[in-house]
Amino acid sequence: MPDALDVTPYDALLLLSFGGPEGPDDVVPFLENVTRGRGIPTERLKEVGQHYFLFGGVSPINDQNRALLDALRKDFADHGLDLPVYWGNRNWAPYLTDTLREMVADGRRRILVLATSAYASYSGCRQYRENLADSLAALEAEGLELPKIDKLRHYFNHPGFVEPMAEGVLRALADLPEDVRDGAHLAFSTHSIPNASADTSGPAEGHGDGGAYVEQHLDVARLIADTVRERTGVDHPWQLVYQSRSGAPHIPWLEPDICDHLEERHAAGAPAVVMAPIGFVSDHMEVLYDLDTEAVAKADELGLPVRRSATVGADPRFAAAIRDLVLERAAVERGQQVTPCALGTLGASHHLCPVGCCPARAPRPAAAGADSPYA
């Protein structure tokens, strides 16, 4: 961790997230934003939105982001770090373009971006960068002076991200009945993506079976499983599983699905399962519905005891990790030597996404990378 609280040359941090509806009337317009350009009819979107309606049409993601903003601002203030924090979403208010316009009006010219996605993938990194490029193009068309934008590196293996999740798994295990606790299996869950997207995730030289997306998740799962063993003395079996598939049936996506995994574990005689959503920063809709609703219902049907561990959310250790990443990147920009903070076997991720990293099927401009049209 850098010693000095010097954020030069940066003058603002932007929390960039997915966004979510905040009432029943928002659900279909939100899904229209998410699926824009795919020609999906409104009636189909209403069907897709049923899991939002189960929760009053409100996704928890925006409140989660507000809590994270508060945690970041408190951590920065407590440590004397003078860096304003803004918030913009890709698919719902506050919209990214509006927030960047506000930042430009406030005189912000060197902006760091924190995306609420910890791992490398098209949807978890490059798509955010494409949205940044779209917003910069919109500001350019308005004749505004464009800020220079950099994106914080992937933080999947930062201690401030891993350690709160490991403690969450320990708490979930402790909540299981004692007679099934030691035999419980750990299901480390993340968002399923098409196999082709996984295979091309990360820098081009690492493309292959599962790419960086699977490799990074496996490294985090091992870290947590090792921590659980060290603290409990029990070596729990574990597996990386997937959830929230949304693509066409004929396109291969990462498997096994969490519900299929629960059936398999039950058939194999597992006495209990802890579901650990390591792929998610906060308890947004895909955690509340796909795990807490669908997967729990499947476990109840099987008579299989399950618990779900917590995401990092606004944990103070995560806020401290972001402070560390900000200072690290600022020092790198100033040309200083920095030892990045990272656990596991993979080391710290790149600061600048290289050409060919997490490519899209149809090439589009992406900001904050080596191929950015906005230097």
Side-chain angles (χ1 to χ4, degrees):
M1 180 181 293
D3 294 326
L5 296 182
D6 185 0
V7 295
T8 309
Y10 297 106
D11 55 21
L13 175 67
L14 169 62
L15 174 65
L16 177 55
S17 192
F18 192 81
E22 299 200 79
D25 293 341
D26 296 344
V27 173
V28 171
F30 163 72
L31 292 173
E32 287 174 340
N33 287 341
V34 174
T35 61
R36 193 173 304 282
R38 301 182 201 173
I40 300 175
T42 300
E43 289 307 311
R44 174 58 182 153
L45 293 179
K46 289 179 180 178
E47 294 175 15
V48 172
Q50 285 307 309
H51 56 287
Y52 287 99
F53 293 123
L54 289 175
F55 295 88
V58 179
S59 168
I61 192 170
N62 281 350
D63 278 345
Q64 292 279 334
N65 282 324
R66 293 182 183 101
L68 180 55
L69 283 170
D70 289 344
L72 289 171
R73 288 166 178 158
K74 181 180 187 304
D75 179 89
F76 288 6
D78 288 349
H79 290 85
L81 194 68
D82 184 17
L83 189 70
V85 185
Y86 295 75
W87 171 33
N89 289 325
R90 290 169 47 192
N91 298 298
W92 201 249
Y95 288 103
L96 171 59
T97 302
D98 295 337
T99 300
L100 283 178
R101 189 181 293 112
E102 176 190 357
M103 296 177 81
V104 169
D106 289 347
R108 312 304 176 192
R109 295 296 179 265
R110 291 295 305 271
I111 297 170
L112 267 175
V113 172
L114 163 65
T116 54
S117 176
Y119 301 86
S121 70
Y122 170 73
S123 57
C125 183
R126 186 176 178 88
Q127 193 169 16
Y128 282 89
R129 294 176 47 226
E130 290 176 353
N131 294 145
L132 284 166
D134 291 342
S135 292
L136 288 172
L139 298 189
E140 187 175 41
E142 296 171 11
L144 298 178
E145 182 179 352
L146 298 186
K148 185 178 186 308
I149 294 178
D150 293 319
K151 180 178 173 291
L152 290 174
R153 65 175 172 88
H154 302 301
Y155 46 85
F156 64 93
N157 57 1
H158 194 288
F161 185 67
V162 175
E163 290 170 1
M165 290 192 295
E167 289 189 6
V169 172
L170 288 164
R171 289 193 298 271
L173 281 166
D175 191 49
L176 282 167
E178 189 174 356
D179 61 332
V180 299
R181 187 179 304 150
D182 286 353
H185 288 229
L186 309 180
F188 295 105
S189 185
T190 190
H191 205 301
S192 184
I193 60 175
N195 288 8
S197 294
D199 293 345
T200 56
S201 58
E205 63 270 17
H207 290 176
D209 189 14
Y213 187 74
V214 172
E215 183 181 43
Q216 290 170 0
H217 280 88
L218 286 172
D219 209 39
V220 172
R222 288 189 200 98
L223 284 166
I224 296 174
D226 288 348
T227 299
V228 170
R229 184 183 63 252
E230 290 163 5
R231 297 192 190 177
T232 66
V234 179
D235 192 7
H236 292 270
W238 63 269
Q239 185 170 340
L240 180 62
V241 301
Y242 302 93
Q243 61 177 89
S244 311
R245 175 186 171 132
S246 60
H250 68 280
I251 297 176
W253 283 50
L254 293 174
E255 295 178 336
D257 176 78
I258 177 63
C259 289
D260 294 338
H261 179 69
L262 293 177
E263 288 187 336
E264 189 273 334
R265 288 293 85 210
H266 177 256
V273 173
V274 167
M275 302 181 294
I278 63 171
F280 305 93
V281 171
S282 65
D283 289 6
H284 55 58
M285 184 57 69
E286 285 160 324
V287 175
L288 292 187
Y289 184 77
D290 296 332
L291 293 184
D292 294 354
T293 304
E294 281 196 331
V296 167
K298 172 58 68 175
D300 288 345
E301 173 190 319
L302 297 168
L304 177 68
V306 293
R307 297 292 187 272
R308 197 266 289 175
S309 65
T311 53
V312 297
D315 189 291
R317 289 165 294 183
F318 183 44
I322 301 309
R323 169 170 40 89
D324 177 38
L325 292 169
V326 166
L327 294 171
E328 174 190 301
R329 182 57 184 269
V332 168
E333 286 298 298
R334 296 193 302 269
Q336 296 176 227
Q337 291 295 318
V338 177
T339 301
C341 195
L343 300 174
T345 63
L346 300 179
S349 185
H350 48 260
H351 288 291
L352 187 70
C353 292
V355 175
C357 194
C358 303
R361 283 179 294 177
R364 291 181 55 202
D371 55 354
S372 172
Y374 301 99

